[in-house]
């Protein structure tokens, strides 16, 4: 659409993830990036990415599963430096300490229902706090609206 996105990950890191995913998909161990070095198979990486502690890998795993590793390589060639970008794509962890004029928060938080009440565990609540405090002027939480309303109403 002609937009110039930046990604809070270097092109070299993106290609390393693609290379590592190719190794794992071929049934071989890979050791760089370190985030994938723990796995013997791609299925192991997929399972870990679905866990609470592995959620930072989930976007990469989804891209590989849905678009393939070549898509990551193309993406790495098209990344715009943040200073020249129309917008920045980031995980919450990589956004810590940063702020932007406008922030849109995606709904990839792990809400769960306990005894009929919507809940977030403490780690997820801290991540949510970091996410919603990155905006200086405009915060778009529309993807989280229903869950946040249920969460806050259940705490009354």
């Amino acid at each position: 659409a002609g937009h110039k996105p930046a990604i809070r990950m270097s092109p070299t890191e993106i290609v390393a993830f693609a290379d590592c995913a190719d190794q794992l998909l071929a049934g071989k161990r890979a050791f760089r990036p370190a985030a994938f070095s723990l796995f013997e198979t791609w299925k192991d990486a997929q399972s870990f990415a679905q866990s609470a502690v592995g959620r930072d890998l989930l976007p990469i795993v989804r891209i590989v599963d849905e678009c393939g590793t070549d898509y990551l390589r193309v993406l790495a060639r098209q990344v715009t430096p943040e200073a020249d970008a129309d917008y920045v794509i980031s995980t919450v962890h990589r956004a810590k300490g940063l702020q932007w004029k406008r922030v849109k928060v995606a709904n990839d938080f792990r809400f769960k229902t306990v005894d009929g009440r919507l809940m977030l565990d403490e780690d997820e609540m801290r991540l949510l706090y970091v996410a919603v405090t990155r905006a200086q002027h405009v915060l778009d939480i529309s993807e989280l609206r229903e869950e946040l309303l249920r969460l806050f109403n259940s705490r009354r």
Side-chain angles (χ1 to χ4, degrees), residues 14-147:
I14 295 169
V15 170
F17 275 107
D19 292 344
C20 190
D22 279 338
Q23 292 283 97
L24 290 170
L25 286 163
K28 300 176 186 171
R29 293 287 306 259
F31 300 99
R32 292 190 59 88
F36 278 168
S37 66
L38 303 171
F39 312 119
E40 293 186 25
T41 67
W42 183 246
K43 195 153 211 57
D44 293 342
Q46 290 169 313
S47 295
F48 182 74
Q50 293 295 328
S51 72
V53 294
R55 68 178 302 126
D56 276 357
L57 292 181
L58 191 56
I60 296 287
V61 168
R62 281 185 180 158
I63 288 171
V64 170
D65 287 344
E66 295 171 14
C67 304
T69 56
D70 286 341
Y71 179 82
L72 284 173
R73 289 181 182 85
V74 169
L75 184 67
R77 290 192 300 271
Q78 295 177 346
V79 171
T80 302
E82 283 188 44
D84 301 326
D86 295 324
Y87 49 88
V88 177
I89 301 167
S90 177
T91 64
V92 176
H93 290 292
R94 288 186 183 235
K96 287 179 181 173
L98 301 174
Q99 288 192 313
W100 294 275
K101 289 182 176 137
R102 294 176 310 224
V103 170
K104 179 179 176 99
V105 180
N107 188 1
D108 63 348
F109 293 90
R110 295 189 184 275
F111 292 94
K112 55 188 170 189
T113 303
V114 177
D115 296 329
R117 292 177 33 185
L118 195 64
M119 307 282 291
L120 273 179
D121 65 29
E122 287 186 33
D123 288 339
E124 286 292 291
M125 190 64 84
R126 282 192 284 276
L127 282 175
L128 178 60
Y129 173 81
V130 170
V132 300
T133 57
R134 300 306 91 200
Q136 294 171 327
H137 301 290
V138 177
L139 175 64
D140 179 351
I141 54 171
S142 58
E143 289 187 26
L144 296 164
R145 184 180 188 280
E146 294 304 316
E147 288 85 354

